Amino acid sequence: MRLLRRFFILNSAFLLLAVLHAEDGYRLWLRYDPIADEQLRAAYAAAITEIVVPEKAPPVVASARDELVTGLRGLLGRDIPVVTKASRDGALVLGTPDDPVLYAAISETDQRAAGMEGYLLRRIADGRGGHRTLLVANRPVGLLHGAFALLRHLQLQRPLADLNLLSAPRIERRLLNHWDNLDRTVERGYAGFSLWEWFYLPEIRSPRYRDYARALASVGLNGTVLTNVNANAQILTRPYLDKVAALAAEFRPWGIRVYLTARFSAPIEIGGLKTADPLDPAVATWWRDKIDEIYQVIPDFGGFVVKANSEGQPGPQDYGRTHADGANLLADALAPHNGLLVWRAFVYSAANQDDRVKQAVTEFAPLDGQFRDNAVIQIKNGPLDFFPREPFSPLFGHMPRTRLALELQITQEYLGHSIQLAYLAPLWKEALDADTFANGPGTTIARIVDGSVKLQHPTVIAGVANTGTDRNWTGHLLAQSNWYAFGRLAWDHTLTSEQIADEWTRLTFGSDTQVVATISRLLLGSRETIVNFSMPLGLHHIMAEGHHYGPGPWVADRPRADWTAVYYHRADATGIGVDRTARGTNALGQYAPEWQQRWGDPQTCPDELLLWFHRLPWDFRMKSGRPLWDELCLRYQQGVDEVRTMQRAWDSLRGRIDDERFTHVQQRLAREEKDARDWRDACLLYFQQFSQRPLPAGVEAPAHPLEHYRSIKLKNVPGHY
Ligand code: BDP
């Protein structure tokens, strides 16, 4: 009997352990597992013996303190006491200018460099033969960022001895944009449903809100736009504002502010007006009153994001007014509250027959200089949408007198949803590092957006979120790396993709060198692999219609030509690609002469963008010496081969990481391999009708005839509502 009881007790203890350590991804990169190297753990424990925090800590400092307690408990396996006065060797002292003694230890230059949200972490002698660690910031929120930085430092097992980190964000507003609908579906969301439980709010508040805000803060993000750009005016009604206020209260202790999307026709839909004309005084009054009401309910409300006159959304052009008229109407109403107005430049019109990729410049460039100081124009990285590869958006070079924000897509709308592996930092870096030459060489998008090319505050960067109710937050476990990478780049765009991949992998999978090397390599190559098996050599927009998952080069006959695939590849017996040089649509003319020269000649245009800018015959001789057709086929095959290499690499980790995460990724890679073959076969069979050429040696024969691929109609694909 006793034995049996013991068996049960033991068994439940194991069960409990198993539950506690379920590798379901919920903990993200904030795992705080015990540091396995005992010597290192002891060294850290000796270096940090107490946490010194002022007694009346404001909520963000309390969050910093609590995070340090939790993190150190996990990493060091012991509770580090929290005190109000340093009393021994190894004190970790948190302070702001409220603590003049501590603050005096920091030079004025460092104080200035730490800015509004940055921090300084420095280990110094305590004058009594011991040491202490200072965590100093100009404002409480800086302490929170510094706390996360210190915990990251320890998790990465970096030395504490000469710790001296000064870091401040390069961009002021670092925002997630959620495309979440009020019914909790998420447009282009592949990780379950929306995290916001609107029906239950404001009384019932999921613990997940706190975990969400904590995750944002841990990577340095400071704002969240809760609602879809295809907006619903209901969010601006009082019952919803009370719900938004409840979320704002959950997020505030983590330094996160809330923003909403505003539907331009809200004055009609919820205000009872007959018009939403931005120049109508009644409309202006309505918005002013509405915004005053919002600030009454949410005093630190961040502002609005607006999609107007784009893909059927209402906007100022409905009344013959301009984007500037519309944006300024809202900016003026937000200004007394220091609110921000973000106006999106993702526009193209059915009435405009010109090349879709040119239309943002056509509409917005003439408005340069007309926007208010608290209005920012948010531009996607590419001129078309969020494709696996596009050249950078030329609009960044056309509005020298306007504040410009960069919009990136973290969710993988065109990169295999949450099934395929796509680490997106390399894609985002291409955009950030792109030189517009607008103000001479070195006028990169990063330097325009961070305000260093011209003083333009506030500075803004936004990422379309990939989060949802899935237990692991992002659907694909490894897609957590994109949430992480977006935050890290928003804080410091000079970090490299490699650095971020290495960091994230260590935080998420530990520091086994084979694991780290293998996963980092997988991450770093993954986006290019998707380019290869889906849209190589500059092809774009050839995906299946509607849900955008899988191939659809045959898509034609849609309500608008620029919603088809044939509009973008124009394949026929004579060749493939769009001529965007001066001989064609001249989209190239929107770029600086340096780019016109490089991209304008197919001999110097890099293969990656060749068919974006050029229409070429099937036998065009590529840099490799091969005819275009052969090169195209081999790129598709290369994509498939690379997925198989990724599968083998992942399989080599069996036994080195837990089964749960191993299997999760293994299954997705297997699906990606099948998807890659489908892309290759469907596209090559389709294009072959025009090229009339055989597949070159090395390219596998398609498994099915073209009709098979054309007849695939996927149903109930997530993210498409
Ligand atoms: C496209 C998406 C669509 C979005 C739109 C946007 O397909 O769902 O509403 O962008 O950014 O990529 O407004």
Side-chain angles (χ1 to χ4, degrees):
M1 195 56 204
R2 255 184 48 203
L3 250 184
L4 204 65
R5 212 166 58 219
R6 193 179 289 171
F7 172 81
F8 274 121
I9 292 172
L10 261 181
N11 231 3
S12 33
F14 275 130
L15 261 182
L16 188 69
L17 265 183
V19 172
L20 280 177
H21 287 276
E23 291 294 9
D24 56 15
Y26 189 83
R27 293 185 294 161
L28 296 163
W29 46 85
L30 300 167
R31 296 161 62 80
Y32 305 140
D33 283 342
I35 292 170
D37 178 340
E38 269 181 44
Q39 251 184 327
L40 187 66
R41 199 167 70 228
Y44 284 166
I48 302 177
T49 56
E50 61 182 11
I51 303 168
V52 188
V53 188
E55 203 163 356
K56 284 202 208 78
V60 259
V61 179
S63 300
R65 176 197 64 207
D66 295 350
E67 192 67 25
L68 286 167
V69 169
T70 314
L72 293 171
R73 181 187 298 138
L75 291 165
L76 308 182
R78 63 170 78 173
D79 280 320
I80 308 297
V82 176
V83 297
T84 53
K85 244 190 144 80
S87 66
R88 56 180 130 170
D89 181 19
L92 166 61
V93 190
L94 276 62
T96 58
D98 291 348
D99 181 343
V101 182
L102 174 68
Y103 207 63
I106 310 299
S107 75
E108 244 176 67
T109 326
D110 286 351
Q111 290 173 12
R112 217 168 319 146
M116 300 285 271
E117 288 186 89
Y119 56 84
L120 176 85
L121 270 167
R122 182 174 291 164
R123 198 157 154 74
I124 57 164
D126 66 2
R128 282 177 292 169
H131 287 86
R132 63 179 47 170
T133 306
L134 303 185
L135 167 47
V136 186
N138 293 318
R139 287 174 59 235
V141 74
L143 297 180
L144 182 61
H145 294 308
F148 279 115
L150 177 62
L151 289 167
R152 184 163 61 233
H153 192 85
L154 300 180
Q155 283 171 284
L156 295 172
Q157 311 198 0
R158 293 182 176 154
L160 268 188
D162 36 19
L163 178 72
N164 188 13
L165 290 176
L166 192 151
S167 184
R170 289 175 190 270
I171 298 174
E172 289 157 328
R173 311 281 184 120
R174 303 173 300 280
L175 311 180
L176 281 191
N177 282 192
H178 288 271
W179 287 357
D180 293 18
N181 299 315
L182 300 187
D183 63 4
R184 300 193 64 199
T185 56
V186 181
E187 183 156 343
R188 314 303 178 190
Y190 314 110
F193 290 91
S194 170
L195 291 163
W196 326 134
E197 299 178 352
W198 293 115
F199 186 70
Y200 297 93
L201 285 163
E203 296 85 1
I204 301 167
R205 295 179 295 277
S206 161
R208 221 168 162 166
Y209 300 146
R210 175 187 174 276
D211 293 344
Y212 164 85
R214 183 175 154 250
L216 258 66
S218 75
V219 289
L221 296 172
N222 64 3
T224 177
V225 187
L226 298 175
T227 47
N228 193 353
V229 287
N230 296 319
N232 184 332
Q234 287 303 314
I235 194 69
L236 302 179
T237 60
R238 186 57 191 251
Y240 272 99
L241 291 177
D242 288 335
K243 297 166 192 280
V244 173
L247 289 176
E250 295 286 323
F251 301 162
R252 195 168 290 121
W254 299 92
I256 308 297
R257 293 166 76 181
V258 300
Y259 298 66
L260 293 172
T261 47
R263 188 165 160 86
F264 201 76
S265 51
I268 303 173
E269 287 153 12
I270 59 167
L273 301 191
K274 293 244 150 20
T275 177
D277 182 345
L279 300 193
D280 185 313
V283 171
T285 306
W286 186 85
W287 279 112
R288 251 199 321 274
D289 292 348
K290 179 48 74 184
I291 287 169
D292 290 348
E293 181 190 355
I294 295 177
Y295 278 91
Q296 248 163 41
V297 187
I298 310 155
D300 57 352
F301 179 67
F304 284 147
V305 173
V306 183
K307 171 177 178 178
N309 292 120
S310 161
E311 299 187 326
Q313 294 298 308
Q317 293 174 347
D318 303 350
Y319 307 95
R321 316 297 185 196
T322 68
H323 284 289
D325 295 329
N328 292 341
L329 163 79
L330 296 172
D332 285 343
L334 285 159
H337 307 281
N338 291 320
L340 176 72
L341 189 267
V342 177
W343 192 266
R344 295 175 84 233
F346 178 66
V347 295
Y348 59 99
S349 141
N352 189 343
Q353 292 305 302
D354 202 3
D355 188 349
R356 173 170 149 185
V357 305
K358 292 170 67 180
Q359 295 188 24
V361 170
T362 316
E363 282 196 39
F364 276 86
L367 302 175
D368 185 32
Q370 294 184 25
F371 293 90
R372 298 285 188 264
D373 289 353
N374 62 330
V376 176
I377 304 303
Q378 182 165 298
I379 308 172
K380 291 186 183 185
N381 56 283
L384 178 53
D385 204 343
F386 289 122
F387 284 95
R389 172 163 281 115
E390 296 186 30
F392 68 86
S393 168
L395 186 54
F396 284 103
H398 282 269
M399 302 191 79
R401 293 182 299 137
T402 306
R403 293 165 177 77
L404 302 179
L406 173 62
E407 178 177 313
L408 302 168
Q409 195 181 47
I410 312 173
T411 192
Q412 293 167 228
E413 176 177 357
Y414 301 107
L415 288 102
H417 297 189
S418 60
I419 292 174
Q420 297 169 10
L421 171 58
Y423 171 62
L424 298 171
L427 190 166
W428 300 335
K429 288 288 286 187
E430 265 176 29
L432 285 161
D433 294 344
D435 197 343
T436 64
F437 291 96
N439 220 0
T443 316
T444 61
I445 290 181
R447 295 187 64 245
I448 291 172
V449 170
D450 77 8
S452 45
V453 168
K454 54 185 191 268
L455 280 182
Q456 56 140 27
H457 299 283
T459 53
V460 183
I461 187 165
V464 180
N466 66 344
T467 49
T469 49
D470 277 8
R471 181 74 191 154
N472 71 15
W473 300 91
T474 55
H476 196 311
L477 248 171
L478 302 190
Q480 292 179 356
S481 63
N482 290 325
W483 187 5
Y484 183 87
F486 173 72
R488 297 288 285 137
L489 283 174
W491 182 277
D492 182 1
H493 55 71
T494 67
L495 291 171
T496 66
S497 303
E498 289 78 8
Q499 278 171 320
I500 298 171
D502 180 82
E503 256 183 29
W504 177 82
T505 306
R506 287 174 193 277
L507 296 174
T508 309
F509 285 97
S511 45
D512 174 332
T513 42
Q514 190 186 324
V515 172
V516 174
T518 306
I519 298 182
S520 303
R521 209 170 42 241
L522 279 182
L523 293 179
L524 287 165
S526 57
R527 175 272 190 136
E528 204 63 43
T529 293
I530 293 182
V531 170
N532 285 335
F533 72 64
S534 65
M535 306 188 202
L537 302 181
L539 288 175
H540 47 283
H541 206 295
I542 59 169
M543 70 293 163
E545 65 181 275
H547 52 72
H548 299 167
Y549 190 86
W554 45 78
V555 172
D557 301 327
R558 304 232 33 223
R560 300 166 59 139
D562 53 14
W563 285 353
T564 68
V566 293
Y567 174 90
Y568 296 97
H569 63 66
R570 307 197 189 178
D572 67 16
T574 65
I576 183 171
V578 190
D579 186 351
R580 291 197 166 104
T581 68
R583 288 176 304 277
T585 74
N586 202 22
L588 185 61
Q590 295 183 338
Y591 291 91
E594 287 83 348
W595 290 118
Q596 293 187 30
Q597 226 170 44
R598 170 125 201 262
W599 290 341
D601 178 352
Q603 301 304 333
T604 53
C605 180
D607 285 356
E608 283 63 37
L609 292 174
L610 196 61
L611 300 179
W612 182 285
F613 285 113
H614 299 279
R615 173 169 185 77
L616 297 167
W618 295 107
D619 61 0
F620 173 79
R621 192 143 300 273
M622 299 288 291
K623 295 186 189 68
S624 63
R626 284 188 281 265
L628 168 60
W629 167 252
D630 287 14
E631 186 75 35
L632 186 70
C633 296
L634 288 164
R635 287 291 173 114
Y636 274 105
Q637 180 64 44
Q638 184 185 337
V640 176
D641 293 342
E642 284 169 355
V643 181
R644 292 173 182 157
T645 307
M646 293 205 286
Q647 286 182 286
R648 280 192 298 276
W650 187 260
D651 285 345
S652 77
L653 298 180
R654 187 193 293 277
R656 285 190 173 263
I657 60 175
D658 51 283
D659 287 347
E660 204 169 338
R661 291 188 290 176
F662 177 80
T663 307
H664 173 98
V665 175
Q666 191 186 42
Q667 291 179 348
R668 279 161 183 75
L669 285 172
R671 173 72 176 265
E672 183 169 350
E673 197 266 349
K674 177 188 170 296
D675 290 345
R677 280 187 280 119
D678 283 356
W679 267 104
R680 178 198 62 195
D681 295 351
C683 292
L684 293 184
L685 284 170
Y686 173 81
F687 291 134
Q688 197 174 33
Q689 302 176 101
F690 309 109
S691 79
Q692 292 292 326
R693 286 162 172 254
L695 298 179
V699 179
E700 291 163 13
H704 307 281
L706 178 59
E707 235 357 86
H708 165 84
Y709 299 100
R710 287 189 73 135
S711 67
I712 295 174
K713 297 269 179 293
L714 303 179
K715 295 269 185 328
N716 303 319
V717 183
H720 178 53
Y721 303 101

